[in-house]
Amino acid sequence: MQRRSFLRLSAMAGVFAMVPYPLKAVDFRDYDVKFWDASTVPQAIKAMYGDKPLIESDKVKLIAHSYAANNLKIPVNIQSDIDAKSVSLYQDSNPQSAVGVWTLNKYSVIDFQTRVKVQSLGDAVTFTLVVEGNDGKLYFAKHRMTVAKGGCIDEFYKSKA
Amino acid sequence: MMRVLAKEIIGLVEVKAMVKHEMMTYGQAKVKGVERNFITNWVATVGNDVVFEFANGQFLSKNPVIKFKIKGVGKGEKLTLTWKDLSGVTESQTVTIL
């Protein structure tokens, strides 16, 4: 809960965030910039959850193909049975690591799907999924996939040089 | 432009949503010379309660698709899905759970 106490302090100091602290839906986009800017997966996990140990668990399921033909549309499927507060996804191929965060409540079932894009520099990419349980512990799972070289992002970065 | 479909299957409600949005990342926008802009936040509500919240960065695909499941809501209720992007534009759509 470091971020919440930090936010309360800055509000008391009279520094107003651009958007007032919302009471219901938590809009990560308006604060926690350190999380979105972190360039490696461990830094992003630390910015989000602090210095807690990660426990590998097979109750956290990160389902995706082992080979991505199109680096701009990689479907990922996230499932878990753990009683949890939040779920977050990271990858190590793009310049910033964090992909997204789901905040859970009594209506939530951890069964999400989405499509992600990664740089295709010919290397493999590892996705990391972290589930923050209601018991305060962090459970994680990883998935490694190879990405086909080529694709639009590659051209953009080549033409930059 | 967005499309939302919510359907009850074996006691859980499955929601699929597709939004037409360019989802320009920092790198892509720099090369193309346009302003970066991507959807950052998705919220689904039933009545006054928030049932789903998802905050993401710049790495969802163009024209993003999300799917999720929720419990505790039933057929016939109205679900509203709202997205918000970096430039502040929002759009929402209300559907009845089938």
Side-chain angles (χ1 to χ4, degrees):
Chain A
M1 294 304 148
Q2 294 166 334
R3 337 172 232 117
R4 292 222 174 105
S5 47
F6 169 75
L7 282 170
R8 286 207 185 103
L9 279 176
S10 45
M12 286 195 308
V15 174
F16 288 104
M18 282 201 288
V19 173
Y21 185 70
L23 292 172
K24 273 189 195 165
V26 175
D27 192 346
F28 270 97
R29 201 57 201 160
D30 291 323
Y31 53 94
D32 249 352
V33 179
K34 250 173 54 180
F35 169 67
W36 298 113
D37 285 344
S39 49
T40 66
V41 175
Q43 280 176 7
I45 296 179
K46 189 172 163 186
M48 175 74 183
Y49 296 120
D51 259 324
K52 283 191 200 172
L54 294 170
I55 306 165
E56 180 140 27
S57 163
D58 56 358
K59 283 195 187 168
V60 176
K61 298 193 186 97
L62 177 56
I63 303 167
H65 297 302
S66 49
Y67 174 73
N70 183 358
N71 67 308
L72 295 180
K73 284 187 190 173
I74 300 179
V76 293
N77 189 353
I78 292 166
Q79 291 173 16
S80 181
D81 285 331
I82 300 175
D83 214 9
K85 282 190 258 189
S86 71
V87 175
S88 44
L89 182 65
Y90 310 87
Q91 45 73 40
D92 64 356
S93 158
N94 289 333
Q96 284 91 32
S97 282
V99 174
V101 185
W102 288 262
T103 314
L104 308 176
N105 58 14
K106 65 177 185 192
Y107 293 98
S108 316
V109 173
I110 308 184
D111 192 334
F112 310 122
Q113 294 181 51
T114 183
R115 298 206 292 222
V116 182
K117 61 186 172 196
V118 297
Q119 274 183 250
S120 77
L121 302 173
D123 297 327
V125 62
T126 303
F127 288 99
T128 308
L129 179 68
V130 176
V131 173
E132 181 193 14
N134 273 330
D135 53 4
K137 298 191 188 160
L138 301 179
Y139 303 95
F140 80 100
K142 289 191 180 179
H143 182 87
R144 189 169 186 270
M145 57 196 307
T146 44
V147 178
K149 203 164 156 66
C152 299
I153 293 186
D154 214 8
E155 281 173 23
F156 286 157
Y157 283 110
K158 264 193 245 169
S159 59
K160 228 173 102 175
Chain B
M1 186 265 191
M2 67 190 286
R3 272 189 286 204
V4 181
L5 175 65
K7 205 161 144 191
E8 186 188 349
I9 302 174
I10 322 174
L12 298 177
V13 173
E14 181 179 324
V15 183
K16 308 185 211 185
M18 192 272 274
V19 177
K20 283 224 186 299
H21 196 284
E22 277 300 317
M23 304 290 278
M24 277 276 140
T25 67
Y26 298 123
Q28 285 172 319
K30 216 168 163 181
V31 173
K32 269 194 167 169
V34 298
E35 195 59 37
R36 56 177 168 74
N37 193 22
F38 44 91
I39 294 181
T40 58
N41 194 37
W42 309 69
V43 174
T45 55
V46 170
N48 281 332
D49 291 337
V50 172
V51 297
F52 172 75
E53 357 176 36
F54 174 37
N56 63 283
Q58 40 181 322
F59 299 121
L60 290 195
S61 303
K62 179 174 156 174
N63 298 336
V65 168
I66 60 166
K67 295 184 195 174
F68 56 95
K69 290 190 181 158
I70 48 179
K71 63 183 179 194
V73 294
K75 229 177 200 179
E77 296 189 46
K78 292 207 181 289
L79 180 121
T80 305
L81 183 66
T82 308
W83 60 261
K84 183 172 147 192
D85 73 10
L86 200 58
S87 63
V89 172
T90 65
E91 189 184 351
S92 67
Q93 177 151 355
T94 308
V95 292
T96 313
I97 299 176
L98 298 171

